[in-house]
Amino acid sequence: MTTIDEKEAERHRAKMAKRKAVQDAEVAGKTITEKGLLIVNTGPGKGKTTAAFGLALRMLGYGRRVGVVQFVKGAWHSGEKDAFAAFGDKVVWHTMGEGFTWETQDLQRDIAAAQAAWGTARELLADPTISLVVLDELNIALRYDYLDVDAVVAALKVRRPDLHVVVTGRNAKPALVEAADLVTEMGAVKHHFSAGVKAQKGIEF
């Protein structure tokens, strides 16, 4: 263990005391105690859906209900779905996608699937027993214009005041970013796929 002399320790205490005072003042300035948030996880990096499911798990830890609609990933079975099944009716899960558009190669089918998924999402948004709704890969459906972005944003804006919503997927539309309370852009610094490693259970799905 590194030995720290008393002068260095005192300088550290003084520095941290000042930092704490600034932090405490900033926290004290926040007056809104509760607000349903619109959260967007976007960007080319990995982990957008994983982060959303982390929030879902946190919400479940407080005994609250969570709704999930997957707009694209219907072709893959996921470990998350199996894990969340252990929570019973605390999780309402709908996998409604049929795979990425380059897999289906059928524009009309993709549009129909996205519209059906959005209809289910609207039902979850209206359910007063649900505290968090995850709209997984909704950004993909909006990017390819399977859904009208203005209509989607309008519906999200008029959700009930205490409902949290997380939207995932690359290339979030500017209108959605503008409407959101929290936007995280996940960058792609390095990915094992580039080195020839295929998607693995427990990591990608």
Side-chain angles (χ1 to χ4, degrees):
M1 183 175 175
T2 304
T3 301
I4 300 173
D5 64 45
E6 185 55 35
K7 287 184 178 180
E8 185 178 354
E10 183 55 39
R11 282 195 299 269
H12 178 77
R13 279 193 290 270
K15 182 179 178 180
M16 291 301 106
K18 288 180 181 178
R19 184 169 181 181
K20 183 179 185 307
V22 171
Q23 190 70 27
D24 289 349
E26 186 175 357
V27 171
K30 308 302 186 241
T31 58
I32 302 171
T33 56
E34 276 194 52
K35 179 187 185 298
L37 301 176
L38 175 55
I39 300 169
V40 176
N41 294 341
T42 191
K46 175 179 165 51
K48 297 177 286 292
T49 295
T50 303
F53 288 153
L55 286 179
L57 184 61
R58 181 175 290 163
M59 193 66 73
L60 288 164
Y62 287 104
R64 299 184 182 182
R65 298 188 77 217
V66 171
V68 177
V69 178
Q70 292 192 295
F71 280 78
V72 174
K73 296 173 181 171
W76 282 24
H77 180 80
S78 69
E80 304 101 297
K81 182 176 181 180
D82 290 344
F84 281 123
F87 289 91
D89 67 357
K90 289 288 186 183
V91 179
V92 182
W93 188 293
H94 297 279
T95 300
M96 303 189 70
E98 296 186 355
F100 291 96
T101 186
W102 55 84
E103 293 172 339
T104 62
Q105 301 175 12
D106 186 332
L107 178 60
Q108 192 58 49
R109 181 172 153 189
D110 289 341
I111 292 172
Q115 290 178 343
W118 177 239
T120 298
R122 294 291 300 267
E123 293 175 6
L124 294 181
L125 294 172
D127 186 337
T129 70
I130 290 179
S131 297
L132 172 71
V133 175
V134 177
L135 302 177
D136 186 39
E137 303 291 1
L138 172 58
N139 284 336
I140 302 299
L142 295 175
R143 175 188 181 188
Y144 288 108
D145 297 319
Y146 298 160
L147 299 169
D148 180 73
V149 64
D150 292 330
V152 169
V153 169
L156 293 174
K157 282 182 174 179
V158 298
R159 71 193 186 282
R160 71 174 197 272
D162 63 340
L163 177 63
H164 303 289
V165 176
V166 187
V167 177
T168 73
R170 297 184 179 204
N171 302 111
K173 291 274 191 174
L176 181 61
V177 170
E178 177 64 26
D181 299 286
L182 171 62
V183 180
T184 299
E185 177 87 15
M186 297 189 177
V189 177
K190 192 174 185 179
H191 199 300
H192 49 272
F193 187 76
S194 301
V197 182
K198 292 183 177 180
Q200 303 176 80
K201 286 184 179 179
I203 301 297
E204 276 80 24
F205 62 92

